[in-house]
Amino acid sequence: MSKNIYKPGSGKNPGVAEGEEKILPFPLEHLPPTARAMAEAISRTERTPDNLAGCCVLGIVSASIGAGLQIKSGPNRLTRGNLYIMPSAESGSGKSETFRHAASPLFSHERDAVEHWQANTLPNLQAEADLLESEIGRLKKEAGKVKTVMEREEIRAELQTKKKALAEVEDGLHPPRLCGEDVTSEKLAVMLEQNQEQLASLSPDAGSIVNNLLGRYSKLDRTDEGIYLKAFSGDNCRVDRQGRSPVLLQRPCLSALWLVQPDKIETLLGKSELTDGGMIPRLLVCHTRAMPVPIVDGAEGIPTDTVIAWAALVGSLLKTFRNAVEPFTIEPTPEARRMMHEHHNQIVARRLADLRDVTTYAARWNEQAWRIAVCLHAGLHGEHAGERTLTADTAASAIALADWFAGEQLRILEGGRHAARRAKRDEVLALLADNPKGITARDVHRARIVGSADEARALLASMEADGELTGKDSKPETGGHITRTFTKARK
C-alpha cells in the first residue's frame, strides 16, 4: 500500500470544529485543474471542508462520463469510471450549497435536454402514436368482417406489425434523464432501461436512499442493494415486477453521489448483510466534519471564469461520453500500468497481514484507483479523453485519491475493528483460563477464535507485545519444530 494513505493534502479545512479529530484534507492537488479550481472556489465561498467539495466535483465528473469511457485495466478486463461516493456532513453545514454548485451544470444540461425533447421529439412521437392507434382500431374493425382464413391472417400480421411499432413509440414517450434520487429498485431498473442503461443517483441529502438500501420497500424485510451492486460492476441484471414484464439490463452503469448525515454511514456499517454482500465496500465514504459557520459580510463568490470552465468541462463530458453509442477505451502507458499493478500487490500483502479483518474492503481499493483514474483522465482531457493514453502522473494521482478514501474508510471502521480485536483477545484469555499451563497458536486456531494458524500466531504475538501474555519457546528433545507456548503475563 502506498504511503499516501495517511499523507495529508495541502488544502485547509474551514468549518471543522475546534478540538475535533484532525482530518486529513482531501488531496485537491491530484484533481485535474478545472475540477480543482471549482472545488477550491466552492470550499472558499461556502467555507466548507475541502473533502466535501472534492468529493462533490469528483462525483459529478463520474456522473458526466456514464458508461461512455472505460480503461483497459487488465488483459481481459475493462473498468469504467462510475463511482459511489458518500461523504457525510451535519445539517446546516453547507453540504447542500456545496452540492448545488458542483452539480449545477449537469442539472442544467438535463433541463435543456428535456425542454428540447418536449418541443421537438414528444409531439412527433405523440402524433405517430395517435396514427398507429387509429390504424390498429381500423384493423380490428376489419377483422370482424373477414370471411376467409387468409384475409384474417393478413390482418393479424398487419396488426402485429402496428402493435410492435406502437410499443416502440411508447418506449420513447419518456423524457431523457441523466439522474434520479429517491426511487425504488424496480423504478431504478426501469429508468436505466429507458436511458441507455446509464444513470446518476445524486442527492444532497440521501437519507431516503440509505433507507431504500436498508430495505424500506422490501416485502422480505431484508436489505435491497441488488441492482446497485449490478449497476456498479456492469453485470447482467433482471428485475421482475409484479404484473409487468421483467426489466432486462445487459451492462447497467450507475454513478452515485450521496451526501448524508454522519449517523447514516454508521447505520449502513451496522448492517452486516450490506458488507458481506459487497455494497458497503463499494462506497467511497468519509466524514467531512463540516460544521455550521457564521455568515461573513463581503465574502467573495465563485469566480465567473471558474464556473464557466467547470460547466464547459461537464458539458463536453456529457456530450462526448454520456451520450456515446459505444464506449471509448483508454490505454494506460506501461509505466501507469506498472504503478497500478504495484499498488494492487501492496494491498494484497497487507490483506494477508494487518488488513485481514477488513479484507472485504481492501479488496476494492485497487479497483477504485482504476475507476478514479478514468475520472481524472476525463477531467484532464475533456472530450479528447478517449484518444489519449493514461499517463503515470494520472495513475499516481488516482492512487493517491484511492488511498485517501481507503484511509477515511479505515478511520470510520476503526471503532468496530477495535471492538472485534478486543473480543478475540478476550476469547484467548478465556481459553487460557481453561488451560493455565499455556496455549499455542494451534490451540487458538482449533478453538476457532481465528481463521488460520498464521492469524493465531499474529494475534498471540500482538498480545505478548502489549504485555497481556508471556511467550516461551520449547523444542522437543528428539528434535523438530520450535513451539511457542503462551501464558498470562504477570502484572
Side-chain angles (χ1 to χ4, degrees):
M1 191 70 174
S2 99
K3 61 185 178 181
N4 289 327
I5 191 166
Y6 293 115
K7 182 181 179 182
S10 60
K12 297 180 180 179
N13 271 299
V16 176
E18 188 128 357
E20 285 279 350
E21 175 188 5
K22 184 178 180 181
I23 305 303
L24 304 182
F26 187 96
L28 292 178
E29 67 272 18
H30 292 292
L31 290 177
T34 300
R36 177 182 180 179
M38 187 62 182
E40 290 175 336
I42 293 172
S43 182
R44 182 175 61 251
T45 298
E46 300 298 340
R47 288 169 299 141
T48 52
D50 285 352
N51 47 16
L52 181 57
C55 285
C56 285
V57 297
L58 181 62
I60 295 304
V61 170
S62 173
S64 303
I65 296 169
L69 190 63
Q70 58 192 14
I71 190 167
K72 190 173 182 181
S73 55
N76 297 293
R77 185 176 66 244
L78 297 170
T79 302
R80 301 188 295 198
N82 58 310
L83 303 170
Y84 286 1
I85 303 179
M86 182 180 281
S88 80
E90 298 285 355
S91 293
S93 62
K95 72 175 187 293
S96 294
E97 291 79 5
T98 299
F99 175 92
R100 175 172 53 83
H101 290 307
S104 178
L106 189 147
F107 289 144
S108 177
H109 189 95
E110 182 180 56
R111 185 170 57 253
D112 291 344
V114 170
E115 290 175 355
H116 181 272
W117 178 85
Q118 290 174 331
N120 300 283
T121 306
L122 180 59
N124 292 332
L125 291 173
Q126 290 174 328
E128 182 65 18
D130 290 344
L131 287 173
L132 288 168
E133 287 174 348
S134 177
E135 292 169 0
I136 288 171
R138 175 182 57 80
L139 287 169
K140 287 181 177 179
K141 289 180 180 180
E142 290 180 6
K145 301 175 183 178
V146 298
K147 298 179 180 179
T148 67
V149 174
M150 183 175 294
E151 288 176 322
R152 182 181 182 284
E153 181 59 27
E154 288 177 355
I155 291 178
R156 188 203 64 76
E158 188 175 356
L159 186 61
Q160 179 181 343
T161 300
K162 298 295 183 183
K163 280 183 171 291
K164 181 179 179 181
L166 178 60
E168 292 174 352
V169 170
E170 289 177 339
D171 282 343
L173 289 174
H174 307 284
R177 302 195 66 159
L178 297 176
C179 52
E181 192 172 351
D182 181 15
V183 296
T184 64
S185 293
E186 288 186 359
K187 180 61 176 177
L188 179 58
V190 172
M191 290 167 62
L192 283 164
E193 183 183 44
Q194 294 170 350
N195 292 277
Q196 299 175 284
E197 296 195 356
Q198 48 187 331
L199 206 66
S201 180
L202 308 176
S203 177
D205 189 0
S208 295
I209 296 174
V210 171
N211 290 337
N212 292 346
L213 290 171
L214 293 172
R216 177 173 61 176
Y217 295 113
S218 175
K219 296 179 181 178
L220 301 176
D221 191 27
R222 65 187 184 191
T223 56
D224 190 17
E225 73 276 22
I227 190 167
Y228 291 96
L229 297 174
K230 300 282 189 178
F232 180 84
S233 302
D235 295 330
N236 187 282
C237 179
R238 173 185 174 124
V239 177
D240 293 302
R241 300 178 295 163
Q242 187 173 3
R244 302 186 64 183
S245 301
V247 176
L248 303 175
L249 304 173
Q250 301 302 311
R251 288 204 70 209
C253 179
L254 184 72
S255 302
L257 174 59
W258 297 326
L259 276 60
V260 297
Q261 298 284 333
D263 66 292
K264 290 297 183 182
I265 291 181
E266 306 302 330
T267 299
L268 287 173
L269 289 174
K271 280 286 186 179
S272 60
E273 305 97 308
L274 291 175
T275 295
D276 296 341
M279 183 64 201
I280 305 301
R282 285 170 166 81
L283 299 177
L284 296 175
V285 296
C286 69
H287 286 318
T288 66
R289 301 301 200 280
M291 299 295 292
V293 293
I295 294 175
V296 178
D297 291 334
E300 295 183 4
I302 300 175
T304 301
D305 58 344
T306 300
V307 173
I308 292 174
W310 174 242
L313 173 62
V314 171
S316 68
L317 295 179
L318 288 167
K319 180 180 178 181
T320 306
F321 303 113
R322 175 61 178 77
N323 296 328
V325 177
E326 293 292 334
F328 294 82
T329 300
I330 307 165
E331 287 282 350
T333 63
E335 177 63 11
R337 188 184 300 280
R338 184 196 63 76
M339 293 173 65
M340 285 292 197
H341 288 175
E342 181 178 303
H343 181 247
H344 174 270
N345 292 340
Q346 290 172 344
I347 294 171
V348 168
R350 293 191 61 194
R351 288 174 64 190
L352 298 174
D354 63 303
L355 297 177
R356 279 183 177 275
D357 60 323
V358 288
T359 187
T360 303
Y361 294 87
R364 291 281 171 186
W365 291 350
N366 184 249
E367 177 190 355
Q368 298 285 21
W370 280 109
R371 289 173 179 270
I372 292 171
V374 174
C375 295
L376 299 186
H377 183 80
L380 183 63
H381 300 294
E383 61 187 316
H384 302 293
E387 307 162 11
R388 310 285 173 81
T389 56
L390 185 109
T391 65
D393 285 345
T394 301
S397 290
I399 290 170
L401 284 168
D403 285 354
W404 181 85
F405 276 112
E408 294 302 299
Q409 190 179 66
L410 290 179
R411 185 197 303 275
I412 293 170
L413 291 171
E414 182 54 35
R417 295 181 75 194
H418 175 76
R421 286 194 293 265
R422 185 65 262 169
K424 288 184 183 296
R425 290 187 174 208
D426 289 343
E427 288 186 67
V428 170
L429 294 176
L431 180 64
L432 190 55
D434 293 334
N435 300 273
K437 291 185 178 181
I439 58 174
T440 66
R442 186 178 184 184
D443 296 325
V444 172
H445 184 211
R446 280 183 169 179
R448 298 185 178 180
I449 296 174
V450 293
S452 69
D454 286 340
E455 286 184 77
R457 282 188 286 272
L459 175 58
L460 293 171
S462 176
M463 293 180 71
E464 181 180 14
D466 291 341
E468 291 186 81
L469 300 178
T470 298
K472 182 178 180 180
D473 290 335
S474 61
K475 186 175 182 180
E477 296 180 0
T478 56
H481 295 291
I482 296 175
T483 300
R484 192 164 185 81
T485 301
F486 295 85
T487 55
K488 191 172 182 178
R490 294 181 178 178
K491 299 295 184 180

